[in-house]
Coordinates of all heavy atoms in Angstrom, one line a residue:
M1350 N 12.8 -5.3 11.3 CA 13.5 -6.1 10.3 C 14.1 -5.1 9.3 O 13.5 -4.2 8.9 CB 12.5 -7.0 9.6 CG 13.1 -7.7 8.5 SD 12.0 -8.9 7.6 CE 12.1 -10.3 8.7
N1351 N 15.4 -5.4 9.1 CA 16.0 -4.6 8.0 C 16.2 -5.4 6.8 O 15.8 -6.6 6.7 CB 17.4 -4.0 8.6 CG 18.3 -5.1 9.0 OD1 18.4 -6.1 8.4 ND2 19.2 -4.8 10.0
K1352 N 16.9 -4.8 5.8 CA 17.0 -5.5 4.5 C 17.8 -6.8 4.5 O 17.4 -7.8 4.0 CB 17.7 -4.5 3.5 CG 17.7 -4.9 2.1 CD 18.2 -3.8 1.2 CE 18.3 -4.2 -0.2 NZ 18.9 -3.1 -1.0
S1353 N 18.8 -6.8 5.3 CA 19.6 -8.0 5.4 C 18.9 -9.1 6.1 O 19.0 -10.3 5.8 CB 21.0 -7.8 6.0 OG 20.8 -7.3 7.4
E1354 N 18.1 -8.8 7.1 CA 17.3 -9.8 7.8 C 16.1 -10.3 6.8 O 15.8 -11.5 6.9 CB 16.6 -9.2 9.0 CG 17.6 -8.8 10.1 CD 17.0 -8.0 11.2 OE1 16.0 -7.4 11.0 OE2 17.7 -8.0 12.3
L1355 N 15.6 -9.4 6.0 CA 14.6 -9.9 5.0 C 15.3 -10.9 4.0 O 14.7 -11.9 3.7 CB 14.1 -8.7 4.3 CG 13.0 -9.0 3.2 CD1 11.8 -9.7 3.7 CD2 12.6 -7.7 2.5
I1356 N 16.4 -10.6 3.6 CA 17.1 -11.4 2.7 C 17.4 -12.8 3.3 O 17.2 -13.9 2.7 CB 18.5 -10.8 2.2 CG1 18.2 -9.6 1.3 CG2 19.4 -11.8 1.5 CD1 19.4 -8.7 1.0
K1357 N 17.8 -12.8 4.6 CA 18.2 -14.0 5.3 C 16.8 -14.9 5.5 O 16.9 -16.1 5.2 CB 18.8 -13.7 6.6 CG 19.2 -14.9 7.4 CD 19.8 -14.5 8.7 CE 20.1 -15.8 9.6 NZ 20.5 -15.4 10.9
T1358 N 15.8 -14.2 5.8 CA 14.5 -14.9 6.0 C 14.0 -15.5 4.7 O 13.6 -16.7 4.6 CB 13.4 -13.9 6.6 OG1 13.9 -13.4 7.8 CG2 12.1 -14.6 6.8
L1359 N 14.1 -14.8 3.6 CA 13.7 -15.3 2.3 C 14.5 -16.5 1.9 O 14.0 -17.5 1.4 CB 13.8 -14.2 1.2 CG 13.5 -14.6 -0.2 CD1 12.1 -15.0 -0.3 CD2 13.9 -13.4 -1.2
A1360 N 15.8 -16.4 2.1 CA 16.7 -17.5 1.8 C 16.4 -18.8 2.6 O 16.3 -19.9 2.1 CB 18.2 -17.2 2.0
E1361 N 16.1 -18.6 3.9 CA 15.8 -19.7 4.8 C 14.4 -20.4 4.4 O 14.3 -21.6 4.4 CB 15.8 -19.3 6.2 CG 17.2 -19.0 6.7 CD 17.2 -18.3 8.1 OE1 16.1 -18.0 8.7 OE2 18.3 -18.1 8.7
E1362 N 13.4 -19.5 4.2 CA 12.1 -20.0 4.0 C 11.8 -20.7 2.6 O 10.9 -21.4 2.4 CB 11.0 -19.0 4.2 CG 10.9 -18.6 5.7 CD 9.7 -17.8 6.1 OE1 8.8 -17.6 5.2 OE2 9.7 -17.2 7.2
T1363 N 12.7 -20.3 1.6 CA 12.5 -20.8 0.2 C 13.7 -21.7 -0.2 O 13.6 -22.2 -1.3 CB 12.4 -19.6 -0.8 OG1 13.6 -18.9 -0.7 CG2 11.2 -18.7 -0.5
S1364 N 14.6 -21.9 0.7 CA 15.8 -22.7 0.4 C 16.6 -22.1 -0.8 O 17.2 -22.9 -1.6 CB 15.4 -24.1 0.1 OG 14.8 -24.7 1.2
L1365 N 16.5 -20.8 -1.1 CA 17.3 -20.2 -2.1 C 18.7 -19.9 -1.5 O 18.8 -19.6 -0.4 CB 16.6 -18.8 -2.5 CG 15.5 -18.8 -3.4 CD1 14.9 -17.3 -3.5 CD2 15.9 -19.3 -4.8
P1366 N 19.7 -20.0 -2.4 CA 21.0 -19.5 -2.0 C 20.9 -18.0 -1.6 O 20.1 -17.3 -2.1 CB 21.9 -19.7 -3.2 CG 21.1 -20.6 -4.1 CD 19.7 -20.5 -3.8
L1367 N 21.8 -17.6 -0.7 CA 21.8 -16.2 -0.2 C 22.0 -15.2 -1.3 O 21.3 -14.2 -1.3 CB 22.9 -16.1 0.9 CG 22.7 -14.9 1.8 CD1 21.4 -14.9 2.6 CD2 23.9 -14.9 2.8
E1368 N 22.8 -15.6 -2.3 CA 23.0 -14.7 -3.4 C 21.7 -14.4 -4.2 O 21.5 -13.3 -4.7 CB 24.1 -15.2 -4.3 CG 25.5 -15.3 -3.7 CD 25.6 -16.5 -2.8 OE1 24.9 -17.6 -3.1 OE2 26.4 -16.5 -1.9
D1369 N 21.0 -15.5 -4.4 CA 19.7 -15.4 -5.2 C 18.7 -14.6 -4.4 O 17.9 -13.8 -4.9 CB 19.2 -16.8 -5.5 CG 20.0 -17.5 -6.6 OD1 20.9 -16.9 -7.2 OD2 19.8 -18.7 -6.7
A1370 N 18.6 -14.9 -3.1 CA 17.7 -14.1 -2.3 C 18.0 -12.6 -2.3 O 17.1 -11.8 -2.3 CB 17.7 -14.7 -0.8
T1371 N 19.3 -12.3 -2.2 CA 19.8 -10.9 -2.3 C 19.3 -10.3 -3.6 O 18.8 -9.1 -3.6 CB 21.3 -10.8 -2.2 OG1 21.6 -11.4 -0.9 CG2 21.8 -9.4 -2.2
L1372 N 19.5 -11.0 -4.7 CA 19.1 -10.5 -6.0 C 17.6 -10.2 -6.1 O 17.1 -9.2 -6.6 CB 19.5 -11.5 -7.1 CG 19.1 -11.1 -8.6 CD1 19.8 -9.8 -8.9 CD2 19.5 -12.2 -9.5
V1373 N 16.8 -11.1 -5.5 CA 15.3 -11.0 -5.5 C 14.9 -9.7 -4.7 O 14.2 -8.9 -5.2 CB 14.6 -12.2 -4.9 CG1 13.1 -12.0 -4.7 CG2 14.8 -13.4 -5.9
V1374 N 15.4 -9.6 -3.5 CA 15.1 -8.4 -2.7 C 15.5 -7.1 -3.3 O 14.8 -6.1 -3.4 CB 15.6 -8.6 -1.3 CG1 15.4 -7.3 -0.5 CG2 14.9 -9.8 -0.6
N1375 N 16.8 -7.1 -3.8 CA 17.3 -5.9 -4.4 C 16.5 -5.5 -5.7 O 16.2 -4.3 -5.9 CB 18.8 -6.0 -4.8 CG 19.7 -5.9 -3.6 OD1 19.3 -5.3 -2.6 ND2 20.8 -6.5 -3.6
T1376 N 16.1 -6.5 -6.5 CA 15.3 -6.2 -7.7 C 14.0 -5.7 -7.3 O 13.5 -4.7 -7.9 CB 15.2 -7.5 -8.5 OG1 16.5 -8.0 -8.9 CG2 14.3 -7.3 -9.8
F1377 N 13.3 -6.2 -6.3 CA 12.1 -5.8 -5.8 C 12.1 -4.3 -5.3 O 11.3 -3.5 -5.7 CB 11.5 -6.7 -4.7 CG 10.2 -6.3 -4.1 CD1 9.1 -6.5 -4.8 CD2 10.2 -5.8 -2.9 CE1 7.8 -6.2 -4.2 CE2 9.0 -5.4 -2.3 CZ 7.8 -5.6 -3.0
V1378 N 13.1 -4.0 -4.5 CA 13.3 -2.7 -4.0 C 13.6 -1.7 -5.1 O 13.0 -0.6 -5.1 CB 14.3 -2.7 -2.8 CG1 14.7 -1.2 -2.4 CG2 13.9 -3.5 -1.7
D1379 N 14.5 -2.1 -6.0 CA 14.8 -1.1 -7.1 C 13.6 -0.8 -8.0 O 13.5 0.3 -8.4 CB 16.0 -1.7 -7.9 CG 17.3 -1.7 -7.1 OD1 17.4 -1.0 -6.1 OD2 18.3 -2.5 -7.6
A1380 N 12.8 -1.9 -8.2 CA 11.6 -1.7 -9.1 C 10.7 -0.7 -8.4 O 10.0 0.1 -9.0 CB 11.0 -3.0 -9.4
M1381 N 10.5 -0.8 -7.1 CA 9.6 0.0 -6.3 C 10.1 1.5 -6.4 O 9.4 2.4 -6.6 CB 9.5 -0.4 -4.9 CG 8.7 -1.7 -4.7 SD 8.5 -2.3 -3.0 CE 7.5 -1.0 -2.3
K1382 N 11.5 1.6 -6.2 CA 12.1 3.0 -6.2 C 11.8 3.6 -7.5 O 11.4 4.8 -7.6 CB 13.5 2.9 -5.9 CG 13.8 2.8 -4.4 CD 15.3 3.1 -4.1 CE 16.1 1.9 -4.2 NZ 17.5 2.1 -3.8
E1383 N 12.1 2.9 -8.6 CA 11.9 3.5 -10.0 C 10.5 3.8 -10.3 O 10.2 4.9 -10.9 CB 12.5 2.5 -11.0 CG 14.0 2.4 -11.1 CD 14.6 3.8 -11.3 OE1 14.1 4.5 -12.3 OE2 15.5 4.2 -10.6
T1384 N 9.6 3.0 -9.8 CA 8.1 3.3 -10.0 C 7.8 4.6 -9.3 O 7.1 5.5 -9.9 CB 7.3 2.2 -9.5 OG1 7.6 1.0 -10.3 CG2 5.8 2.5 -9.7
L1385 N 8.2 4.8 -8.1 CA 7.9 6.0 -7.3 C 8.6 7.3 -8.0 O 8.0 8.3 -8.0 CB 8.3 5.9 -5.9 CG 7.5 4.9 -5.1 CD1 8.0 4.7 -3.7 CD2 6.0 5.3 -5.0
V1386 N 9.9 7.1 -8.4 CA 10.5 8.2 -9.0 C 9.8 8.7 -10.3 O 9.7 9.8 -10.6 CB 12.0 7.8 -9.4 CG1 12.7 8.8 -10.3 CG2 12.8 7.7 -8.1
D1387 N 9.3 7.7 -11.1 CA 8.6 8.0 -12.3 C 7.1 8.5 -12.0 O 6.4 8.7 -13.0 CB 8.5 6.7 -13.2 CG 9.8 6.4 -13.7 OD1 10.8 7.2 -13.7 OD2 10.0 5.1 -14.1
G1388 N 6.7 8.7 -10.8 CA 5.4 9.2 -10.4 C 4.3 8.1 -10.3 O 3.2 8.5 -10.2
G1389 N 4.7 6.9 -10.3 CA 3.7 5.8 -10.3 C 3.3 5.5 -8.9 O 3.8 6.0 -7.9
R1390 N 2.3 4.6 -8.8 CA 1.8 4.1 -7.5 C 2.0 2.7 -7.4 O 1.9 1.9 -8.3 CB 0.3 4.5 -7.5 CG -0.4 4.1 -6.2 CD -1.9 4.7 -6.2 NE -2.6 4.4 -5.0 CZ -3.2 3.2 -4.8 NH1 -3.3 2.3 -5.7 NH2 -3.8 3.0 -3.7
I1391 N 2.3 2.2 -6.2 CA 2.5 0.8 -5.9 C 1.4 0.3 -5.0 O 1.2 0.9 -3.9 CB 3.9 0.5 -5.3 CG1 5.0 1.0 -6.2 CG2 4.1 -1.0 -5.0 CD1 6.3 1.2 -5.6
E1392 N 0.8 -0.8 -5.3 CA -0.2 -1.4 -4.5 C 0.0 -2.9 -4.3 O 0.1 -3.6 -5.3 CB -1.6 -1.2 -5.0 CG -2.7 -1.8 -4.1 CD -4.1 -1.6 -4.7 OE1 -4.3 -0.7 -5.5 OE2 -5.0 -2.4 -4.3
I1393 N 0.2 -3.2 -3.0 CA 0.4 -4.6 -2.7 C -0.8 -5.0 -1.9 O -0.9 -4.7 -0.7 CB 1.8 -4.8 -1.9 CG1 2.9 -4.3 -2.7 CG2 1.9 -6.3 -1.5 CD1 4.2 -4.2 -1.9
R1394 N -1.7 -5.8 -2.5 CA -3.0 -6.1 -1.9 C -2.7 -6.8 -0.6 O -1.9 -7.7 -0.5 CB -3.8 -7.0 -2.8 CG -4.0 -6.3 -4.1 CD -5.5 -6.3 -4.5 NE -5.6 -5.6 -5.8 CZ -6.6 -4.8 -6.0 NH1 -7.5 -4.6 -5.2 NH2 -6.6 -4.2 -7.2
G1395 N -3.5 -6.5 0.4 CA -3.3 -7.1 1.7 C -2.2 -6.4 2.6 O -2.1 -6.7 3.8
F1396 N -1.4 -5.6 2.0 CA -0.3 -5.0 2.7 C -0.5 -3.5 2.8 O -0.6 -2.9 3.8 CB 1.0 -5.4 2.1 CG 2.2 -4.8 2.9 CD1 2.6 -5.3 4.1 CD2 3.0 -3.8 2.3 CE1 3.6 -4.8 4.8 CE2 4.1 -3.3 3.0 CZ 4.4 -3.8 4.3
G1397 N -0.5 -2.8 1.6 CA -0.7 -1.4 1.5 C -0.3 -0.8 0.2 O 0.0 -1.6 -0.7
S1398 N -0.2 0.5 0.2 CA 0.1 1.2 -1.1 C 1.1 2.3 -0.8 O 1.2 2.9 0.3 CB -1.1 1.7 -1.8 OG -1.7 2.7 -1.0
F1399 N 1.9 2.5 -1.8 CA 3.0 3.6 -1.8 C 2.7 4.6 -2.9 O 2.3 4.2 -4.0 CB 4.3 3.0 -2.0 CG 4.8 2.0 -1.0 CD1 4.4 0.7 -1.1 CD2 5.6 2.4 0.0 CE1 4.9 -0.3 -0.2 CE2 6.0 1.4 1.0 CZ 5.7 0.1 0.9
K1400 N 2.9 5.8 -2.6 CA 2.8 6.9 -3.7 C 3.7 8.0 -3.2 O 4.2 8.0 -2.1 CB 1.4 7.3 -3.9 CG 0.8 8.1 -2.8 CD -0.6 8.6 -3.2 CE -1.3 9.3 -2.1 NZ -2.6 9.8 -2.4
V1401 N 3.9 9.0 -4.1 CA 4.8 10.1 -3.9 C 3.8 11.3 -3.7 O 2.9 11.5 -4.5 CB 5.8 10.4 -5.0 CG1 6.5 11.7 -4.7 CG2 6.8 9.2 -5.0
K1402 N 4.0 12.0 -2.6 CA 3.2 13.3 -2.4 C 4.1 14.4 -2.6 O 5.3 14.4 -2.2 CB 2.7 13.3 -0.9 CG 1.5 12.5 -0.6 CD 0.9 12.8 0.7 CE -0.4 12.1 0.9 NZ -1.1 12.5 2.2
E1403 N 3.5 15.4 -3.3 CA 4.3 16.6 -3.6 C 3.9 17.7 -2.6 O 2.7 17.9 -2.4 CB 4.1 17.0 -5.0 CG 4.6 15.9 -6.0 CD 4.8 16.5 -7.4 OE1 5.0 17.7 -7.6 OE2 4.7 15.6 -8.3
Y1404 N 4.9 18.4 -2.0 CA 4.7 19.5 -1.1 C 5.2 20.7 -1.7 O 6.4 20.8 -2.2 CB 5.3 19.2 0.2 CG 4.7 18.0 0.9 CD1 5.3 16.7 0.7 CD2 3.6 18.1 1.8 CE1 4.7 15.6 1.3 CE2 3.1 17.0 2.4 CZ 3.7 15.7 2.2 OH 3.1 14.6 2.8
S1405 N 4.5 21.8 -1.7 CA 5.0 23.1 -2.2 C 5.8 23.8 -1.2 O 5.8 23.4 0.0 CB 3.8 24.0 -2.6 OG 3.0 24.2 -1.5
G1406 N 6.6 24.7 -1.6 CA 7.5 25.4 -0.8 C 6.7 26.4 0.1 O 5.6 26.8 -0.3
Y1407 N 7.3 26.9 1.2 CA 6.7 27.8 2.1 C 7.7 28.6 2.9 O 8.9 28.1 2.9 CB 5.6 27.1 3.0 CG 6.2 26.1 3.9 CD1 6.6 26.4 5.2 CD2 6.3 24.8 3.4 CE1 7.2 25.4 6.0 CE2 6.9 23.8 4.2 CZ 7.3 24.1 5.5 OH 7.8 23.1 6.3
A1408 N 7.3 29.6 3.5 CA 8.2 30.4 4.4 C 8.0 29.8 5.8 O 6.9 29.9 6.4 CB 7.8 31.9 4.3
G1409 N 9.1 29.2 6.3 CA 9.0 28.7 7.6 C 9.8 29.6 8.6 O 10.3 30.6 8.3
R1410 N 9.9 29.1 9.8 CA 10.6 29.9 10.9 C 11.5 29.0 11.6 O 11.1 27.9 12.1 CB 9.6 30.6 11.7 CG 10.2 31.5 12.7 CD 9.1 32.4 13.3 NE 8.3 33.2 12.4 CZ 8.7 34.3 11.8 NH1 9.9 34.8 12.0 NH2 7.9 34.9 10.9
N1411 N 12.7 29.4 11.8 CA 13.7 28.6 12.6 C 13.2 28.8 14.1 O 13.2 29.9 14.6 CB 15.1 29.2 12.5 CG 16.1 28.4 13.2 OD1 15.8 27.8 14.3 ND2 17.3 28.4 12.7
P1412 N 12.9 27.7 14.8 CA 12.3 27.8 16.2 C 13.4 28.4 17.2 O 13.1 29.0 18.2 CB 11.9 26.4 16.5 CG 12.6 25.5 15.6 CD 12.9 26.3 14.3
R1413 N 14.6 28.1 16.9 CA 15.7 28.5 17.8 C 16.0 30.0 17.7 O 16.1 30.7 18.7 CB 17.0 27.8 17.6 CG 18.1 28.0 18.6 CD 19.3 27.2 18.4 NE 18.9 25.8 18.5 CZ 19.7 24.8 18.3 NH1 20.9 25.0 17.8 NH2 19.3 23.6 18.4
T1414 N 16.1 30.5 16.5 CA 16.5 31.9 16.3 C 15.3 32.8 15.9 O 15.4 34.0 16.0 CB 17.5 32.1 15.2 OG1 16.9 31.7 13.9 CG2 18.8 31.2 15.5
G1415 N 14.2 32.2 15.4 CA 13.1 33.0 15.1 C 13.2 33.6 13.7 O 12.3 34.3 13.2
E1416 N 14.3 33.4 13.0 CA 14.5 33.9 11.6 C 13.7 33.2 10.6 O 13.4 32.0 10.7 CB 16.0 34.0 11.3 CG 16.5 32.8 10.7 CD 18.0 32.9 10.3 OE1 18.2 33.3 9.1 OE2 18.9 32.6 11.1
S1417 N 13.3 33.9 9.6 CA 12.5 33.3 8.5 C 13.4 32.5 7.6 O 14.5 32.9 7.3 CB 11.8 34.4 7.7 OG 11.0 33.9 6.8
V1418 N 12.9 31.3 7.2 CA 13.6 30.3 6.4 C 12.7 29.9 5.3 O 11.5 29.6 5.5 CB 14.1 29.1 7.2 CG1 14.8 28.1 6.3 CG2 14.9 29.5 8.4
E1419 N 13.2 29.9 4.0 CA 12.5 29.4 2.9 C 12.6 27.9 2.8 O 13.7 27.4 2.6 CB 13.0 30.1 1.6 CG 12.1 30.0 0.5 CD 10.7 30.7 0.7 OE1 10.7 31.7 1.4 OE2 9.7 30.2 0.2
V1420 N 11.5 27.2 2.9 CA 11.5 25.7 2.7 C 11.2 25.4 1.2 O 10.2 25.9 0.7 CB 10.5 25.1 3.6 CG1 10.4 23.6 3.4 CG2 10.7 25.5 5.1
T1421 N 12.0 24.7 0.6 CA 11.9 24.4 -0.9 C 10.8 23.3 -1.1 O 10.5 22.5 -0.2 CB 13.2 23.9 -1.4 OG1 13.6 22.7 -0.8 CG2 14.3 24.9 -1.3
P1422 N 10.2 23.3 -2.2 CA 9.2 22.3 -2.5 C 9.9 20.9 -2.6 O 11.1 20.8 -2.8 CB 8.8 22.6 -4.0 CG 9.2 24.0 -4.2 CD 10.3 24.3 -3.3
K1423 N 9.2 19.9 -2.2 CA 9.8 18.5 -2.2 C 8.7 17.5 -2.5 O 7.6 17.7 -2.4 CB 10.4 18.3 -0.8 CG 9.5 18.4 0.4 CD 10.3 18.3 1.6 CE 9.5 19.1 2.7 NZ 10.3 19.5 3.8
R1424 N 9.3 16.3 -2.8 CA 8.5 15.1 -3.1 C 8.9 14.1 -2.1 O 10.1 13.8 -1.9 CB 8.7 14.6 -4.5 CG 8.4 15.6 -5.6 CD 8.8 15.1 -6.9 NE 8.1 13.9 -7.3 CZ 8.5 12.9 -8.1 NH1 9.6 13.1 -8.7 NH2 7.8 11.9 -8.4
L1425 N 7.9 13.5 -1.4 CA 8.2 12.5 -0.3 C 7.4 11.3 -0.5 O 6.2 11.4 -0.9 CB 7.9 13.1 1.1 CG 8.7 14.3 1.5 CD1 8.2 14.9 2.8 CD2 10.2 13.9 1.6
P1426 N 7.9 10.1 -0.3 CA 7.2 8.8 -0.3 C 6.1 8.8 0.8 O 6.4 9.3 1.9 CB 8.2 7.8 -0.2 CG 9.4 8.4 0.5 CD 9.3 9.8 0.2
F1427 N 5.0 8.2 0.5 CA 3.9 8.1 1.4 C 3.4 6.7 1.4 O 3.1 6.1 0.3 CB 2.8 9.1 1.1 CG 1.6 9.0 2.0 CD1 1.7 9.6 3.3 CD2 0.4 8.4 1.6 CE1 0.6 9.6 4.1 CE2 -0.7 8.4 2.4 CZ -0.6 8.9 3.7
F1428 N 3.2 6.0 2.6 CA 2.7 4.7 2.7 C 1.4 4.7 3.4 O 1.3 5.3 4.4 CB 3.7 3.8 3.4 CG 3.1 2.4 3.7 CD1 3.0 1.4 2.7 CD2 2.7 2.1 5.0 CE1 2.5 0.2 2.9 CE2 2.2 0.8 5.2 CZ 2.1 -0.1 4.2
R1429 N 0.4 4.0 2.8 CA -0.9 3.8 3.5 C -1.1 2.3 3.7 O -1.1 1.6 2.7 CB -2.0 4.4 2.7 CG -3.4 4.1 3.3 CD -4.5 4.9 2.7 NE -4.5 6.2 3.3 CZ -4.9 7.3 2.7 NH1 -5.3 7.2 1.4 NH2 -4.8 8.5 3.2
A1430 N -1.3 1.9 5.0 CA -1.5 0.5 5.2 C -2.8 0.0 4.7 O -3.8 0.7 4.8 CB -1.4 0.2 6.8
G1431 N -2.9 -1.2 4.2 CA -4.1 -1.8 3.7 C -4.9 -2.4 4.9 O -4.5 -2.6 6.0
K1432 N -6.2 -2.6 4.6 CA -7.1 -3.1 5.6 C -6.7 -4.4 6.2 O -6.7 -4.6 7.4 CB -8.5 -3.3 5.0 CG -9.6 -3.7 6.0 CD -10.9 -3.9 5.3 CE -12.0 -4.3 6.3 NZ -11.7 -5.3 7.2
D1433 N -6.2 -5.4 5.4 CA -5.7 -6.7 6.0 C -4.6 -6.5 7.0 O -4.5 -7.1 8.0 CB -5.3 -7.6 4.9 CG -6.5 -8.1 4.0 OD1 -7.7 -7.9 4.5 OD2 -6.3 -8.6 2.9
L1434 N -3.6 -5.6 6.6 CA -2.5 -5.4 7.5 C -3.0 -4.7 8.8 O -2.5 -5.2 9.9 CB -1.5 -4.5 6.9 CG -0.2 -4.1 7.7 CD1 0.5 -5.4 8.1 CD2 0.7 -3.2 6.9
K1435 N -3.9 -3.8 8.8 CA -4.4 -3.1 9.9 C -5.1 -4.1 10.8 O -4.9 -4.2 12.0 CB -5.3 -2.0 9.5 CG -4.7 -0.8 8.9 CD -5.8 0.2 8.6 CE -5.2 1.4 7.7 NZ -6.3 2.3 7.3
D1436 N -5.9 -5.0 10.2 CA -6.7 -6.0 10.9 C -5.7 -7.0 11.6 O -6.0 -7.4 12.8 CB -7.7 -6.7 10.0 CG -8.8 -5.8 9.6 OD1 -9.0 -4.7 10.2 OD2 -9.5 -6.2 8.6
H1437 N -4.7 -7.4 10.9 CA -3.7 -8.4 11.4 C -3.0 -7.8 12.6 O -2.8 -8.5 13.6 CB -2.8 -8.8 10.3 CG -1.8 -9.9 10.8 ND1 -2.2 -11.2 10.9 CD2 -0.5 -9.8 11.1 CE1 -1.2 -11.9 11.3 NE2 -0.1 -11.1 11.4
I1438 N -2.6 -6.5 12.6 CA -1.9 -5.9 13.7 C -2.8 -5.7 14.9 O -2.4 -5.9 16.0 CB -1.3 -4.5 13.2 CG1 -0.2 -4.8 12.3 CG2 -0.9 -3.7 14.4 CD1 0.3 -3.5 11.6
N1439 N -4.1 -5.5 14.6 CA -5.0 -5.2 15.8 C -5.8 -6.4 16.3 O -6.8 -6.3 16.9 CB -6.0 -4.1 15.4 CG -5.4 -2.8 15.2 OD1 -4.7 -2.4 16.2 ND2 -5.5 -2.1 14.1
Q1440 N -5.3 -7.6 16.0 CA -5.9 -8.9 16.5 C -5.7 -9.0 18.0 O -4.8 -8.7 18.6 CB -5.3 -10.1 15.8 CG -5.8 -10.2 14.4 CD -5.2 -11.5 13.8 OE1 -4.4 -12.2 14.3 NE2 -5.7 -11.8 12.6

């Protein structure tokens, strides 16, 4: 499912106009992004949690040429599925 399919499903199941469903989904996604950028954690009970993991830089190696490459430090989003979601998938 992609974002536009989520908007369409929300509009159909709640009888919201498509424009309102778009606003709801975009507001939700934007709020999640801002929380993660600010270093916060998001927990949706029964679904899972999101947080940002920080990775330090290191000296890597290009597998094709074998030359040494410096990998810069980075921050990446991380999702951990909740117990209810895992149980639902494994039924």
Side-chain angles (χ1 to χ4, degrees):
M1350 173 177 276
N1351 61 32
K1352 191 174 177 182
S1353 61
E1354 292 169 340
L1355 178 61
I1356 291 169
K1357 184 178 175 190
T1358 301
L1359 178 64
E1361 289 171 354
E1362 291 192 14
T1363 61
S1364 301
L1365 279 173
L1367 200 56
E1368 296 80 27
D1369 291 346
T1371 302
L1372 179 63
V1373 168
V1374 170
N1375 285 336
T1376 302
F1377 179 75
V1378 170
D1379 290 344
M1381 289 179 67
K1382 282 196 267 186
E1383 284 304 312
T1384 298
L1385 292 173
V1386 165
D1387 293 340
R1390 183 174 180 273
I1391 301 164
E1392 182 178 335
I1393 303 171
R1394 302 230 180 220
F1396 184 71
S1398 62
F1399 298 85
K1400 68 178 181 177
V1401 173
K1402 282 192 171 184
E1403 299 197 23
Y1404 297 91
S1405 57
Y1407 59 93
R1410 187 165 303 281
N1411 183 332
R1413 185 175 299 172
T1414 63
E1416 82 177 273
S1417 186
V1418 178
E1419 194 64 33
V1420 179
T1421 59
K1423 56 188 155 204
R1424 300 173 64 205
L1425 297 172
F1427 179 77
F1428 173 74
R1429 173 170 281 153
K1432 183 181 182 314
D1433 291 346
L1434 178 59
K1435 288 178 190 176
D1436 290 346
H1437 185 74
I1438 289 172
N1439 289 308
Q1440 287 182 352

